[in-house]
Amino acid sequence: MTLSPTLTFNDGNTIPQLGYGVWQVEDDVAEKVVFQAFEAGFRHIDTAKIYGNESGVGRAIAGSGLKPEEIFITTKLWNADQGYESTLQAFEESMERLGLETLDMYLIHWLQPKQDKYVDTWKALIELQKRGRVKSIGVSNFTVEGLQRLIDETGVVPAINQIELHPYFSQSELRAFGASKGILTQAWSPLGQGGELLEDAVVAGIAAKHNATPAQLVIAWHLAIGNVVIPKSVTESRIHENYASLDLTLDASDIEAINGLDRSAAGAGRIGPDPAVSDFA
Ligand code: NAD
């Protein structure tokens, strides 16, 4: 079985570049599908407190027979828990549900600019890393301004920024800023949530050329441009199909053609909330 390549964080730890996300998966279903993802070859799982399935993910880990050092688990601090003490508390509760001693990566789920607690929250993540409870710390849905403020006020650069990113919304500014600071970029909704993107004629044409599916082509594009990518599916055949994207190598003209699908210059492409303005504790 092909193993996912790994990328190295600014703290020296590594992350499998291809992972498996479990947003909108019920807790009891999560146990089954994470187990299937492990069987397919995935070793990196992305969950969050707000997904309500950390327990199911924990049961899948416990039942997998895999050693902690063989897998990479991410969970996220929910908005209502932002703040120094409340973050330390929420972290322990997540660990209890996951059944883990040490977490691979903990993320602040959203910037929440109006709430304005993200610097104190970041200080709690720094403390958890110092205590050895979490190996790597990062953020999700952060803007350039939010990232810069964390760096300016704490001197600790996040390992990763997990953001909405797919060919229709390719986030070139945030990716370039991250690269300039040593922050990896992780793509959420990497398949555009499975809608129009997977029926796009350009995507379908290049996929056909490679004897691949549109989903595989899009995942291979993420891998080729250096994103960490966490596609979700609860269908076993698609879990295997998505994992097999690792075997697909794109040439420069394929990548250019997919890059050309970006709609953000026209003020379009985004599916989810805009982190610069959204505040939804
Ligand atoms: P996605 O882009 O991964 O799309 C998932 C959907 O695509 C599936 O439900 C299915 O309908 C379709 N699909 C998957 N594989 C397919 C295949 N091989 N062929 C055809 N269709 C296929 O969307 P997502 O779940 O929104 O994002 C992935 C993960 O990113 C989430 O599960 C979660 O872990 C993470 N995420 C994080 C945030 C955040 O705020 N940090 C927000 C959204 C998602």
Side-chain angles (χ1 to χ4, degrees):
M1 186 194 300
T2 311
L3 274 183
S4 169
T6 55
L7 297 180
T8 304
F9 291 136
N10 57 32
D11 63 12
N13 294 322
T14 59
I15 181 170
Q17 196 180 359
L18 177 62
Y20 175 74
V22 290
W23 180 40
Q24 294 178 316
V25 179
E26 298 291 328
D27 191 64
D28 53 339
V29 178
E31 179 176 358
K32 184 183 82 178
V33 294
V34 169
F35 197 80
Q36 289 173 351
F38 285 144
E39 283 186 330
F42 285 95
R43 292 292 178 268
H44 160 190
I45 308 296
D46 181 85
T47 183
K49 175 184 174 177
I50 196 67
Y51 301 170
N53 56 26
E54 290 173 316
S55 302
V57 170
R59 290 193 300 277
I61 296 167
S64 71
L66 292 164
K67 300 191 193 84
E69 60 271 24
E70 292 176 296
I71 53 177
F72 187 102
I73 308 296
T74 297
T75 194
K76 312 185 194 86
L77 175 93
W78 186 236
N79 303 340
D81 296 320
Q82 283 212 30
Y84 189 85
E85 291 299 333
S86 44
T87 294
L88 298 179
Q89 171 78 24
F91 174 81
E92 293 306 332
E93 290 165 4
S94 281
M95 295 298 275
E96 187 78 18
R97 285 187 289 272
L98 286 164
L100 296 174
E101 286 299 314
T102 312
L103 185 67
D104 296 290
M105 188 159 78
Y106 201 36
L107 304 181
I108 303 177
H109 205 144
W110 287 86
L111 178 68
Q112 297 285 99
K114 278 198 235 113
Q115 196 180 355
D116 195 21
K117 289 185 180 171
Y118 60 90
V119 176
D120 274 352
T121 305
W122 184 239
K123 288 178 181 165
L125 265 61
I126 294 168
E127 176 60 23
L128 288 167
Q129 189 182 34
K130 271 197 198 128
R131 291 182 191 172
R133 302 285 288 129
V134 55
K135 291 183 188 160
S136 295
I137 55 175
V139 295
S140 177
N141 300 302
F142 266 51
T143 57
V144 166
E145 294 71 24
L147 291 166
Q148 189 63 58
R149 191 165 158 217
L150 293 187
I151 298 168
D152 290 345
E153 296 194 26
T154 69
V156 179
V157 183
I160 207 162
N161 188 19
Q162 182 183 122
I163 52 177
E164 179 181 345
L165 202 174
H166 41 78
Y168 287 158
F169 195 65
S170 61
Q171 298 267 29
S172 49
E173 188 200 0
L174 262 173
R175 281 197 292 126
F177 180 79
S180 75
K181 300 287 177 187
I183 303 168
L184 293 184
T185 296
Q186 182 167 26
W188 65 250
S189 294
L191 301 174
Q193 297 181 4
E196 189 190 346
L197 175 65
L198 299 185
E199 280 158 25
D200 188 288
V202 173
V203 171
I206 303 171
K209 183 181 93 177
H210 287 280
N211 251 332
T213 67
Q216 288 176 326
L217 192 272
V218 172
I219 295 167
W221 170 81
H222 283 283
L223 296 170
I225 66 168
N227 296 338
V228 179
V229 57
I230 44 172
K232 171 221 162 186
S233 174
V234 291
T235 307
E236 190 169 15
S237 58
R238 285 176 170 176
I239 294 173
H240 284 265
E241 175 187 326
N242 293 348
Y243 191 76
S245 311
L246 290 172
D247 297 325
L248 182 57
T249 306
L250 305 185
D251 54 49
S253 65
D254 301 331
I255 295 166
E256 270 313 302
I258 306 292
N259 289 347
L261 298 178
D262 181 54
R263 295 173 171 176
S264 45
R270 193 192 286 280
I271 302 170
D274 180 352
V277 292
S278 67
D279 242 281
F280 51 91

